[in-house]
Structure formats: C-alpha cells, structure tokens
Amino acid sequence: MNAGLSALPLAAVIALGALVAVQVALLAVSLAVLVRTPRERLAFGRKWPWVLIVVLGNVIGPIVFLAAGRRAATVDDAQRAEPRGDSVASAVESLYGGDRG
C-alpha cells in the first residue's frame, strides 16, 4: 500500500507542488525580512519568537509575520524638510552640497 506520489492524480501532484513552492517562497522571504528588520521594529522586541513562528507555522507563520510582526518605521522631522523651490536643484544641493563656484 506504499504507492507514493505516482498513485495521485496529476492535478493533485501539481497542486501539491504549487503549495510547496508557495510555502518555501514565503519562508525565504519572511526570514530575509526578519533578518533585515531591526529588533526595535518587531512586535515582540526579539527575533527568536518570530523565527519559531515562521519556521513552525508552515504557510500561516510567514503570513502572520509579514502582516503583523513589524511596526512601521518612524521618520525624523529633520528628514521631512519642505522642498525649497526647484525639486531637482534641492535634490542636487542635498546630495552634493552648496555652490562650489
């Protein structure tokens, strides 16, 4: 009675393969995002609970992390400076400094 995948219909094998591909992709993306996210922006403040949730949660764990595991990044008021006149000129000035003559 140990027939394996060959006993399944082709549609079931394709669906199973697609589910495995989605699970592996979600796992890879969520672990990459988790590594790059600072601890201060995580919901629990630590990375190890999220690693457990992502790895042991199959498809649901990575979705939960990507949807609710991170807080939005804060922006300094200094970074929100009003544009000064020409946006291209202000961008060049902010990147390369003032007039050099």
Side-chain angles (χ1 to χ4, degrees):
M1 287 250 142
N2 194 5
L5 287 177
S6 61
L8 291 174
L10 181 61
V13 173
I14 292 172
L16 185 62
L19 183 63
V20 168
V22 167
Q23 180 176 356
V24 169
L26 279 172
L27 180 68
V29 167
S30 61
L31 286 177
V33 168
L34 179 60
V35 166
R36 295 178 61 115
T37 304
R39 280 186 331 145
E40 297 82 30
R41 287 189 48 214
L42 293 174
F44 298 135
R46 297 180 186 261
K47 291 188 178 189
W48 68 265
W50 285 113
V51 170
L52 291 176
I53 290 170
V54 166
V55 172
L56 299 177
N58 290 333
V59 175
I60 301 300
I63 293 172
V64 168
F65 169 70
L66 292 172
R70 301 170 293 151
R71 283 177 259 180
T74 59
V75 178
D76 280 345
D77 287 336
Q79 293 177 351
R80 287 191 217 170
E82 291 291 323
R84 296 172 299 201
D86 185 23
S87 62
V88 174
S90 65
V92 169
E93 183 179 335
S94 70
L95 289 173
Y96 300 108
D99 234 358
R100 293 188 186 182

